[in-house]
Amino acid sequence: MARRERVVRMSVEQPLWRALTAYRLLTMVYAVLIFAFGRDKFERPWVAAGFLLVLVLWTVATLPKVANAVSCTKRFLGVDLTIALVGILLTPVVDVQARYMDGPTLPTIWTAGSVLAFAVKGGWRWAAFASTLVAFANLVGRGTPSRDTLHNVLLVWVASIAIGYIVEVARASERTLARALEIEAATRERERLARDIHDSVLQVLAMVQRRGTALGGEAAELGRMAGEQEVALRTLVSSGLVPTTRTSEDSSLGAVVRTVDDARYGDGGAGDATDEDRRWDLRTLLAPLSGSAVTLAEPGAPVLLRPAAARELAAAVGAALDNVRKHAGDGARSWILVEDSPDEVIVTVRDDGPGIPEGRLAQAEGEGRLGVALSIRGRLRELGGTAELISVPGQGTEVELKVPRGKAER
């Protein structure tokens, strides 16, 4: 999250600092050229040359200071503005006619760079402060300011405040975006954890309730308590109050994933290679799911995906099979078809059960039973894929899981 925020901040502010750096360099050269071509009209050219030497040395030496908001300190801004003000006030000293004519000041438009630095650093209030001092120095230096002088002063004052305001708006938008990214990350984590809970704890509680009711006696009381806890936990999951603590790995198919991981990389090898250079064969994760009631049809070549994508896709298939066993009965058969193409991986889970009545999924989601919404569709959504469910009462159910390779690779 911190890295995303730094990227956003850099995209908003960094171009402003780069533009300010270029502006200071160009206007420094411009001020030197103005003096070089008009030095004959100065009564005290050596004073002007001394000031411009200081201006050049200061501008070149402080280039890193205007690289970002951190290095552009208040002390730097104060010294920078002081140099600009001194240059404005020195103008009538080195050029007496400047008091009565609308010629350029010694720092010329370099002064605007100092004011803009205040605007980018501190917003419109800082810009108003700096531009007001510049305006006052211009009015004092001119003695009897002309209309053009007043026009230029007002232009700098208004422009700097506008830029400062725009910077503040950009920073506020940046903070809002960073907060939205945090909320999105927290929401995705809650959904992931809710899927884990559904795939493990909720199913175990539901099984205890059913078995306890069937056995009767003390077991029935235990089943009743398990049922109450299942309802309470489903309420927490559906209301988004599940804590966002990340678990070590998915509970669904956790044993299968651990077994495959140990077999492929060894007990200590999983840490030797990162997810950036590892690929898992999806067929290996789906193979343990096949059995007497489940038929697996797969390509002859490996279906390679990044570990996270392979785990999530296999877990979604496992959740679909769990729904078959839970709702279609023990006699229902299921088929898993894996299709691999350069653009996407498609896994289809089909069963010959009684199907799902129309509106049942929406009703189950409203009751907090989020097997399809979270364990299947939620997983595919995080992978950038889709999960389509087709069910006809009396003719079974088909779940088609599509994962685009481009998004899954990222």
Side-chain angles (χ1 to χ4, degrees), residues 18-57:
R18 290 174 181 168
L20 182 58
T21 301
Y23 179 86
R24 288 167 61 86
L25 284 173
L26 292 175
T27 53
M28 175 200 72
V29 174
Y30 177 74
V32 172
L33 291 177
I34 289 293
F35 169 74
F37 287 107
R39 62 183 180 275
D40 295 338
K41 70 182 183 69
F42 287 99
E43 285 79 2
R44 298 178 180 86
W46 58 272
V47 176
F51 170 79
L52 290 174
L53 178 61
V54 172
L55 180 69
V56 170
L57 293 177

Side-chain angles (χ1 to χ4, degrees), residues 13 16-17 20 69 115-123 127 163-164 167 171:
E13 288 191 13
L16 296 176
W17 292 111
L20 182 58
V115 178
L116 292 177
F118 272 82
V120 177
K121 172 69 175 181
I163 292 175
V167 169
R171 284 176 178 155

Side-chain angles (χ1 to χ4, degrees), residues 67-348:
N68 52 65
V70 176
S71 58
C72 186
T73 61
K74 292 181 180 179
R75 182 178 180 181
F76 161 76
L77 290 175
V79 176
D80 198 61
L81 183 60
T82 299
I83 292 175
L85 296 176
V86 169
I88 295 173
L89 296 175
L90 275 179
T91 301
V93 175
V94 300
D95 181 12
V96 177
Q97 296 299 320
R99 181 177 290 272
Y100 309 104
M101 301 176 63
D102 287 326
T105 60
L106 279 178
T108 64
I109 56 176
W110 184 90
T111 304
S114 298
V115 178
L116 292 177
F118 272 82
V120 177
K121 172 69 175 181
W124 71 269
R125 293 175 180 83
W126 288 32
F129 169 77
S131 59
T132 300
L133 291 181
V134 169
F136 180 77
N138 272 284
L139 296 177
V140 170
R142 295 295 182 181
T144 305
S146 65
R147 185 178 61 181
D148 289 339
T149 299
L150 294 175
H151 172 78
N152 293 335
V153 165
L154 182 62
L155 179 63
V156 171
W157 195 76
V158 172
S160 61
I161 291 178
I163 292 175
Y165 179 75
I166 291 173
V167 169
E168 289 189 358
V169 171
R171 284 176 178 155
S173 301
E174 170 194 323
R175 289 191 295 268
T176 302
L177 177 58
R179 179 56 181 161
L181 292 174
E182 291 176 358
I183 294 174
E184 179 192 7
T187 301
R188 290 167 67 90
E189 179 66 6
R190 287 192 183 96
E191 289 185 358
R192 188 199 65 79
L193 188 56
R195 290 195 300 267
D196 293 344
I197 293 174
H198 176 272
D199 292 347
S200 56
V201 181
L202 289 177
Q203 292 192 7
V204 170
L205 290 175
M207 182 186 67
V208 171
Q209 181 187 22
R210 291 195 302 271
R211 295 290 178 86
T213 302
L215 292 174
E218 294 183 359
E221 178 63 16
L222 181 62
R224 184 189 65 79
M225 295 173 61
E228 292 177 354
Q229 294 303 312
E230 179 195 5
V231 172
L233 187 54
R234 286 188 187 277
T235 302
L236 285 176
V237 170
S238 59
S239 63
L241 298 178
V242 178
T244 58
T245 303
R246 179 170 290 277
T247 56
S248 60
E249 56 185 310
D250 281 342
S251 299
S252 175
L253 299 178
V256 173
V257 171
R258 287 193 296 271
T259 302
V260 173
D261 200 16
D262 294 343
R264 293 175 67 88
Y265 303 105
D267 292 339
D272 298 335
T274 65
D275 278 3
E276 299 300 324
D277 50 21
R278 285 165 54 179
R279 297 292 187 276
W280 283 2
D281 186 357
L282 179 64
R283 303 178 309 167
T284 309
L285 294 180
L286 297 180
L289 300 177
S290 63
S292 58
V294 179
T295 302
L296 173 63
E298 59 188 26
V303 182
L304 299 179
L305 291 171
R306 290 193 185 277
R311 280 197 300 263
E312 290 295 298
L313 185 53
V317 174
L321 294 176
D322 288 341
N323 286 336
V324 175
R325 286 189 290 269
K326 182 176 180 181
H327 301 291
D330 296 334
R333 288 190 54 81
S334 302
W335 292 265
I336 305 174
L337 173 62
V338 182
E339 301 174 82
D340 187 16
S341 69
D343 298 328
E344 62 184 359
V345 175
I346 303 176
V347 180
T348 304

